Amino acid sequence: MIGTITDVSCADAPQVQITLKAQTIVMRLHAVDAAHLTIKPSGTGSPAKNAVRPVLRGRSALRSRNQLVSEKKWDGEIQTVELRDLP
């Protein structure tokens, strides 16, 4: 999914929840451990070293790869987030 990261919650660390919005679609996404989340910064094809979670709120995600889930408070488990610079 391509969209804008509108919210990031680390209230249940090390878990992280990200809200990604694309036009009228809103996806609530989850990762069990933020340290293991693969984040690819803009302008590079390789993941960030040590999977350090940058400040994501308001960033544009070029692509978010997720595995859809059911019977959870969120829509999917985050696998990879590829960031891009806003025009």
Side-chain angles (χ1 to χ4, degrees), residues 34-68:
H36 294 110
L37 181 60
T38 301
I39 299 172
K40 295 181 181 179
S42 61
T44 179
S46 59
K49 296 286 183 189
N50 301 324
V52 176
R53 184 181 55 85
V55 176
L56 296 174
R57 183 176 294 142
R59 292 293 306 265
S60 182
L62 174 59
R63 182 176 300 140
S64 173
R65 295 183 183 167
N66 318 296
Q67 181 175 351
L68 297 177

Side-chain angles (χ1 to χ4, degrees), residues 7-76:
D7 192 32
V8 179
S9 173
C10 298
D12 296 322
Q15 296 180 55
V16 63
Q17 292 187 35
I18 295 173
T19 302
L20 185 64
K21 183 176 181 184
Q23 296 179 339
T24 60
I25 299 170
V26 175
M27 294 283 290
R28 289 168 186 81
L29 306 171
H30 174 267
V32 174
D33 189 339
H36 294 110
L37 181 60
T38 301
I39 299 172
K40 295 181 181 179
S42 61
T44 179
S46 59
K49 296 286 183 189
N50 301 324
V52 176
R53 184 181 55 85
V55 176
L56 296 174
R57 183 176 294 142
R59 292 293 306 265
S60 182
L62 174 59
R63 182 176 300 140
S64 173
R65 295 183 183 167
N66 318 296
Q67 181 175 351
L68 297 177
V69 296
S70 61
E71 300 180 20
K72 300 281 186 181
K73 295 187 299 185
W74 49 84
D75 301 309

